[in-house]
Amino acid sequence: MRHSHPMPDQPLTKFQLRRQMRTARRALSPYQQRLASRRLCARLALTPALKRARHIGIYWPMDGEIDPRLLLKRFPHKQFYLPVLPRPSRSTMSFLHWHGGQLPYRNRYGIPEPLAGRSQLRAPDRLDVVLLPLVAFDPSGARLGMGAGYYDRTFAFKRLRPGTGPQLIGIAHQLQCVASLPAESWDIPLSLVATDQRLYQCR
């Protein structure tokens, strides 16, 4: 029995696109990653959103994701927070204050997370800006994530109450840009996508 394969002019499935983009970003050399990170953070630092923000959600890069952590050195007086996966009984992430140090604890996906008391927690709707990792995006701001839906569930309130909560900025290598992605009803709207090469105003 022959297995069918997508024709060249057929769009990739989400699974295929995730695999392609993850492979491409993992193939970047350490030098290319460092250069991309410096360019990304220099560009982000000039945006009004980052200049105004006091409480910023960030992420720990994994799997070839572009690294936004240089922003802590550019903005030493701002407060940065890392996402913490929800407990089994919950569906949305929390954000914990992070001072920039190493994180010995890793969650079930192997991603470092801060460990601290509840006094250092900040609710998602009380952040000013959140930088979201993504697997692929298009110039309109449609975002393809890893598929677990944590960010979509955590910021679902922004679909119900537009204009509330933090400004959401997608972060990616330029090579993760595709011509178009289908919009899903549960997708959270990004206001901006920032790459190592340019900014895309989405909303």
Side-chain angles (χ1 to χ4, degrees):
M1 179 177 175
R2 294 179 63 189
H3 294 283
S4 61
H5 296 280
M7 296 298 289
D9 59 345
Q10 289 181 323
L12 296 176
T13 65
K14 287 186 175 182
F15 174 80
Q16 291 168 325
L17 186 57
R18 284 192 181 100
R19 184 171 59 186
Q20 175 182 304
M21 290 298 179
R22 292 175 68 188
T23 299
R25 70 188 186 190
R26 282 198 300 260
L28 295 171
S29 70
Y31 170 76
Q32 289 172 312
Q33 284 281 9
R34 288 194 299 272
L35 182 61
S37 175
R38 287 199 299 268
R39 288 175 171 170
L40 167 79
C41 292
R43 187 163 280 111
L44 273 174
L46 298 176
T47 62
L50 266 290
K51 287 180 178 179
R52 287 194 304 262
R54 292 184 57 214
H55 301 278
I56 301 169
I58 202 168
Y59 64 88
W60 191 283
M62 300 287 288
D63 191 43
E65 292 171 338
I66 196 166
D67 190 348
R69 293 174 297 175
L70 285 176
L71 288 172
L72 274 75
K73 293 182 179 179
R74 284 184 171 267
F75 296 114
H77 303 299
K78 295 182 185 289
Q79 306 296 307
F80 288 86
Y81 302 80
L82 283 171
V84 176
L85 291 185
R87 296 171 183 167
S89 61
R90 296 178 60 85
S91 62
T92 59
M93 296 186 297
S94 304
F95 285 81
L96 264 173
H97 189 232
W98 178 49
H99 299 281
Q102 289 298 310
L103 300 171
Y105 171 74
R106 290 176 175 253
N107 65 27
R108 57 185 174 272
Y109 295 109
I111 303 171
E113 284 184 2
L115 288 173
R118 294 192 62 83
S119 63
Q120 292 185 285
L121 277 172
R122 193 163 187 89
D125 61 352
R126 295 185 60 231
L127 295 166
D128 300 316
V129 168
V130 176
L131 308 181
L132 287 73
L134 49 84
V135 178
F137 72 97
D138 70 22
S140 76
R143 167 185 172 268
L144 180 67
M146 288 293 289
Y150 290 116
Y151 282 96
D152 290 318
R153 290 192 297 273
T154 300
F155 295 102
F157 66 86
K158 289 185 66 65
R159 292 198 310 273
L160 305 173
R161 305 192 304 276
T164 64
Q167 186 169 341
L168 304 180
I169 300 178
I171 305 295
H173 292 284
Q174 184 63 39
L175 60 81
Q176 294 170 249
C177 184
V178 299
S180 66
L181 287 171
E184 306 286 2
S185 61
W186 56 82
D187 287 343
I188 49 172
L190 301 177
S191 60
L192 184 73
V193 175
T195 77
D196 49 309
Q197 295 185 24
R198 61 172 291 185
L199 300 175
Y200 296 83
Q201 294 287 344
C202 307
R203 296 289 187 275

